[in-house]
Amino acid sequence: MKIFVRCGRLFTGNEDEAQKDAVLVYDGGGQIVYAGAEAGAPKRGKGDRAIDHSGQFVMPGLIDVHTHLAYGNAKSEEDIDLYSPLEFRALRGMFFAQKVLASGYTAICSPGDAGQISLSIRDAINAGLFDGPRVMAAGPYLTTHQGLTDWYPTWIGAPETSIGKLVTTVAEAVEEIRRQVKNGVDCVKIAMDGIQRRPDGELIAAFTQEETDIMTREIHRQGKKAVAHAVGREATLYSARAGIDLIFHAFHIDDECIAAMLKSGSVLCPTLTQPKNVIEFTQPHEPAAQRGRPDATLRRYQTGCKNLKKAVKAGIPFLTGTDSGFAVTPYGEWHARELELFVDDLGFSPAAALRAATEVNARFMCGGDRIGVLEAGRLADFTAWDGSPLKDIGILQDRRRLRAVYLAGREMKIEDRPYDPRRVTDFALSNWTDLYTQARVAELRGRRRPLQAAE
Ligand SMILES: [Zn+2]
């Protein structure tokens, strides 16, 4: 039995243009046998089925290589690490993975998660227990004192439920890599940014070059991919020289980093959506605003785009990912904003952004030679849209235009179930964001009347 999909326009991921009046044909196992002009298609036989998307734009399922399934739309680092047990987070992550799928994303990489949450979600989906996107999974970030994800004071350390695994020696790092590989990770994440700055303001990397080399070698020796969080120049440079497969952010990338990446073959996922949303969505009353985070993020974003454009020009492959899982990047909402930002802020054409989110992302993914492109031999992971994202990349964020999502040829029907964030994420113990001195209370009351003793 074969399935014939009539496509108003077919964007395969292999070319910049979409073909008019094309057809996609796949077998009962969801493997594509033909994608192209109707004239060259195999003949429809008895028992073959037809699906009509002749009014739609058909393209590969989108891929987001930066979605943290364990974070749960967190408002703080404590939300990510502390307040809910790993078991609850895994169930919640499964629910949110379905929201991602329902938004047209058929595959994600979850690079850095507590415990074995994303591994378990991946395995539950692969075992057929739930519908969900294809998941490439990591365990906790390898971090050190000075590293991102070692957020808490030394007298607390990195709790077992944290997304960071604190390693204090190279031997501990190697041991943790082997433990994660034994547990079944697809990739290992290293927190390369430190927290200290040089007098000139440059971030000092959390690990030395030698430590980064040893960790990366061991990850590769075990047949896994290495990924790194690296905003700073030094973190980016060490990652590139070590041959880290995928570098996230790289906002302070310079010519030396670019040369090292070209030499080692590292690719880059700048992740513009999360900072852009921090800048645009944070409200003045929120602690992040009061600490000046949106302004600082804006400066970093502008510098980042300027630097990243040089990397685009140099030919470094750019992957799309959003850092979904924070309160500013809830699951299933903003994944396709990254494509719009690639166009608006990095100078990509809509076609190049589409290819970044499909075939370029697929090259990084495990089993990526079977997804990301609609061509014979690959899996029929595809989506159908009203309107052309080649004309307006923004339509990919409009759920009303998403007509269907298919995974290996099977249409996914995910119920759009609402949820109450207070029972899903908001378990933080903080009660107030202000300090109610007499002066502050008088100010809040507009000094209409003096504070009474009895109050
Ligand atoms: Zn991230």
Side-chain angles (χ1 to χ4, degrees), residues 187-260:
C187 56
V188 177
K189 175 109 169 233
I190 304 175
M192 281 301 297
D193 272 329
I195 49 172
Q196 304 296 328
R197 290 180 187 276
R198 286 188 223 296
D200 66 0
E202 184 178 337
L203 263 182
I204 300 171
F207 292 98
T208 64
Q209 181 71 66
E210 197 188 356
E211 290 165 341
T212 313
D213 291 344
I214 293 169
M215 289 188 288
T216 308
R217 264 207 306 277
E218 183 59 17
I219 295 164
H220 286 161
R221 196 179 72 84
Q222 301 281 353
K224 304 299 169 189
K225 289 201 167 170
V227 303
H229 170 105
V231 173
R233 191 198 71 91
E234 192 172 87
T236 305
L237 183 62
Y238 291 176
S239 300
R241 283 182 185 153
I244 294 270
D245 299 275
L246 173 57
I247 300 174
F248 291 106
H249 312 299
F251 276 23
H252 294 276
I253 193 167
D254 67 358
D255 291 343
E256 196 180 4
C257 298
I258 290 171

Side-chain angles (χ1 to χ4, degrees), residues 62-73 80 96-97 100 103 105-113 118 133-139 141 148-149 151 163 187-193 227-231 246-251 267-277 293 300 308 318-339 342 356-358 360-362 364-366:
L62 291 154
I63 303 171
D64 185 318
V65 297
H66 199 172
T67 288
H68 296 283
L69 289 175
Y71 287 19
N73 295 340
I80 293 175
F96 283 137
V100 179
S103 71
Y105 279 74
T106 51
I108 56 174
C109 176
S110 187
D113 269 332
S118 47
R134 301 179 193 282
V135 176
M136 181 168 169
Y141 299 54
L148 180 93
T149 72
W151 331 98
I163 56 164
C187 56
V188 177
K189 175 109 169 233
I190 304 175
M192 281 301 297
D193 272 329
V227 303
H229 170 105
V231 173
L246 173 57
I247 300 174
F248 291 106
H249 312 299
F251 276 23
V267 299
L268 204 163
C269 173
T271 316
L272 303 177
T273 302
Q274 202 266 6
K276 190 76 168 181
N277 289 5
R293 184 156 168 185
R300 186 159 64 87
L308 288 163
F318 270 55
L319 283 63
T320 61
T322 50
D323 235 336
S324 283
F326 290 98
V328 291
T329 48
Y331 302 98
E333 299 277 338
W334 300 105
H335 304 276
R337 187 175 203 200
E338 190 73 12
L339 283 74
F342 267 41
T358 54
V360 180
N361 273 4
F364 164 74
M365 298 287 289
C366 286

Side-chain angles (χ1 to χ4, degrees), residues 142-177:
L142 268 65
T143 185
T144 181
H145 290 306
Q146 309 301 327
L148 180 93
T149 72
D150 179 38
W151 331 98
Y152 310 109
T154 53
W155 54 92
I156 295 174
E160 270 299 298
T161 57
S162 166
I163 56 164
K165 170 69 185 176
L166 182 63
V167 293
T168 57
T169 63
V170 166
E172 272 182 37
V174 169
E175 160 60 15
E176 175 62 15
I177 290 163

